[in-house]
Amino acid sequence: MSDKSQQDHRSVGVAVLGHGTVGSEVLRLIGEYSEDLTHRIGGTLDIKGVAVSDLEKHKDSPAAHLMTTDAMSLIERDDVDIVVEVIGGIDYPRQLVLAALNAGKSVITANKALVAAHSAELDDAADRAGVDLYYEAAVAAAIPVIGPLRRSLAGDRVVAVKGIVNGTTNFILDAMDSTGASYDDMLAEATRLGYAEADPTADVEGHDAASKAAILASLAFHTRVTADDVYCEGISKITADDINAAKKAGQTIKLLAICERNGDKVSARVHPTLIPREHPLASVSQSFNAIFVEAEAAGRLMFYGNGAGGAPTASAVLGDLVGAARNKVHGGRAPGASTYANLEIADFGEVETRYHVDMDVDDQLGVLARIADQFSGAGISLRTVRQEEKGDNARLIVVTHHAPERDLAGVVEKLKAMDEVKSVNSVIRLESE
Ligand code: NDP
Ligand code: HSE
């Protein structure tokens, strides 16, 4: 592009908050693709500043001259039109994002924890100011799934969104399954590769996936769903023994997010899930994510790709940035999130699924029958029962048909109280095709 046509373009001032795994890649790609981005936007992206917490750490960065530790002052600059928030956390970025929106600046964020906790407040601020609030990168990094839910499926009725939405836990579970690697080693490796959150507890305890489930459920069901509405169980209790037992049974364990509409109620949950090896989600390896969206008219759609990492996440941030910049140059605004349906959030106890209950029991006549009675007494039908020798005891693995969470939890309490049951080792939910 000639200098002349560059000058004819309107400049769009951008503040980038954060220069870590994602922020540094956002800046790199803006530099590398600048000419193409100018054509696509009809204006030039002009980086006005980059906020970090420690200037010394970045003193050799090519962007060092743009850096500041005062993110708020950067946002307040008159020449900043768009703010990209890639710091992470909730309270401080909330202040920054609200300040930006209230000042009439569009915001792009990759921060699922923030969006899942404060979407109502953020949407209201964006609406009042008539600016864009985009967060494609917040769910499944590079995979475009927010856009399709918000736009492409706006005319359909979505009934379910299910899948693998956390790269770190998929990386750990996949390595434990395929190479027998240890949980701790793989968590350290996921952190080194930039997949894990600053505090990886959010990944392994399922909170990161729960935030993403809340965002997906809100958009899919046109209902405000927050992270607090999502049942959440992480992978920290999954043992090598669970993985090997799953393998023997032709299954694998994945951390799934499952959002469903059932009549006028919606539910969202995150938990380790046993799936058969032939299930399409079973082959999703490393830090990849995959999400199925099921809509009444469209049928089943699958979204697959890089679910974590600097460049994949920056790609999604840049897509949003181009959209927001175009709107700054040409006018207009992306549609905001719609929550008109306001469906009831189902109590988790009502949610029905299948269960795999692994216990150590006395190896004596009649024990199996007494255990089966506990399930049938709660109206839970058994699909398979498998018994293996385990020292002086027996290992009993019971797989149920669909039953409500409340009923299964009641049975587990009764099993734990039985003298014949030495331990309930694990309760893992099952999904089949
Ligand atoms: P990093 O921890 O790598 O980077 C965070 C950046 O924020 C750092 O540059 C840090 O500064 C800066 N920062 C921290 N506190 C402040 C502060 N008070 N003022 C100014 N700057 C500050 O995080 P990521 O890049 O991995 O993640 C950023 C966001 O993107 C998070 O919300 C995360 O959930 C989300 N995300 C991350 C993905 C990934 O794969 N990593 C994928 C999808 C979303 P300094 O460098 O000086 O320490
Ligand atoms: N920590 C997140 C993950 C980053 O592992 O999926 C992507 O959102």
Side-chain angles (χ1 to χ4, degrees):
M1 189 184 302
S2 70
D3 286 352
K4 170 79 179 71
S5 62
Q6 285 265 18
Q7 283 157 13
D8 286 347
H9 280 116
R10 183 190 149 179
S11 154
V12 179
V14 179
V16 179
L17 314 183
H19 191 259
T21 304
V22 180
S24 58
E25 283 299 296
V26 167
L27 283 178
R28 182 181 70 78
L29 294 182
I30 290 175
E32 199 172 318
Y33 303 156
S34 75
E35 192 169 328
D36 289 313
L37 295 177
T38 301
H39 282 294
R40 293 172 197 174
I41 291 165
T44 50
L45 292 178
D46 195 357
I47 305 296
K48 299 297 180 187
V50 179
V52 294
S53 70
D54 178 358
L55 289 173
E56 181 62 21
K57 194 162 131 187
H58 301 279
K59 66 180 190 327
D60 297 327
S61 158
H65 63 291
L66 292 166
M67 289 188 184
T68 171
T69 54
D70 186 353
M72 197 57 95
S73 298
L74 174 58
I75 289 169
E76 285 164 357
R77 276 174 58 158
D78 288 341
D79 56 358
V80 167
D81 303 296
I82 300 178
V83 172
V84 175
E85 186 275 308
V86 281
I87 290 180
I90 297 187
D91 294 337
Y92 184 52
R94 170 176 164 263
Q95 289 171 33
L96 298 174
V97 167
L98 283 174
L101 294 171
N102 290 335
K105 291 151 198 223
S106 292
V107 171
I108 319 299
T109 178
N111 189 335
K112 48 269 154 122
L114 172 67
V115 176
H118 294 293
S119 60
E121 188 183 26
L122 302 181
D123 286 341
D124 284 353
D127 285 346
R128 272 198 315 273
V131 295
D132 289 324
L133 169 64
Y134 283 108
Y135 42 86
E136 183 64 67
V139 178
I143 306 175
V145 64
I146 302 283
L149 280 172
R150 210 179 250 211
R151 286 187 294 276
S152 321
L153 290 162
D156 207 333
R157 175 179 284 189
V158 177
V159 292
V161 182
K162 296 183 187 183
I164 297 168
V165 295
N166 183 271
T168 301
T169 49
N170 202 57
F171 184 81
I172 296 171
L173 291 173
D174 178 44
M176 286 171 79
D177 181 282
S178 56
T179 67
S182 84
Y183 175 98
D184 289 336
D185 286 352
M186 287 304 104
L187 177 54
E189 183 64 0
T191 303
R192 190 186 69 77
L193 292 168
Y195 303 151
E197 296 300 301
D199 175 2
T201 316
D203 296 291
V204 296
E205 296 303 346
H207 305 306
D208 177 81
S211 292
K212 292 165 178 168
I215 294 171
L216 291 170
S218 297
L219 293 169
F221 308 133
H222 300 273
T223 291
R224 183 84 59 202
V225 181
T226 69
D228 289 342
D229 296 319
V230 182
Y231 172 80
C232 174
E233 204 180 297
I235 66 160
S236 60
K237 293 197 183 83
I238 296 293
T239 62
D241 211 25
D242 292 325
I243 303 241
N244 290 334
K247 247 182 178 173
K248 268 201 225 160
Q251 295 168 327
T252 188
I253 300 177
K254 295 287 188 188
L255 185 75
L256 297 194
I258 301 176
C259 312
E260 291 169 313
R261 175 175 179 163
N262 211 334
D264 282 344
K265 290 190 183 181
V266 299
S267 64
R269 54 196 163 107
V270 167
H271 49 67
T273 312
L274 279 160
I275 54 173
R277 289 209 168 250
E278 59 276 14
H279 191 291
L281 291 174
S283 56
V284 176
S285 62
Q286 300 176 41
S287 62
F288 284 86
N289 285 187
I291 301 168
F292 285 108
V293 177
E294 205 175 320
E296 282 183 358
R300 205 178 197 206
L301 309 168
M302 184 174 181
F303 299 84
Y304 170 83
N306 273 311
T313 310
S315 163
V317 170
L318 251 68
D320 282 351
L321 184 53
V322 167
R326 270 191 204 131
N327 289 343
K328 287 286 176 194
V329 172
H330 305 289
R333 191 187 163 222
S338 111
T339 55
Y340 77 92
N342 200 19
L343 299 172
E344 189 182 333
I345 313 286
D347 185 290
F348 183 61
E350 296 169 22
V351 171
E352 294 200 8
T353 186
R354 294 169 53 213
Y355 309 87
H356 174 282
V357 184
D358 179 337
M359 52 202 137
D360 288 354
V361 302
D362 277 342
D363 192 7
Q364 283 173 11
L365 188 70
V367 170
L368 185 55
R370 285 196 289 284
I371 287 173
D373 281 350
Q374 296 291 2
F375 285 92
S376 60
I380 301 177
S381 164
L382 301 188
R383 183 154 191 219
T384 60
V385 178
R386 199 170 82 236
Q387 184 170 331
E388 295 169 3
E389 268 185 28
K390 192 170 177 187
D392 293 340
N393 295 325
R395 179 179 188 183
L396 197 64
I397 295 173
V398 170
V399 174
T400 74
H401 283 286
H402 275 88
E405 288 284 343
R406 185 179 294 122
D407 296 351
L408 193 277
V411 170
V412 170
E413 284 316 303
K414 286 185 178 158
L415 291 172
K416 285 180 177 166
M418 285 174 72
D419 289 341
E420 304 91 320
V421 176
K422 300 300 162 204
S423 59
V424 176
N425 303 322
S426 64
V427 178
I428 306 181
R429 295 163 183 89
L430 275 109
E431 279 282 311
S432 46
E433 263 282 67

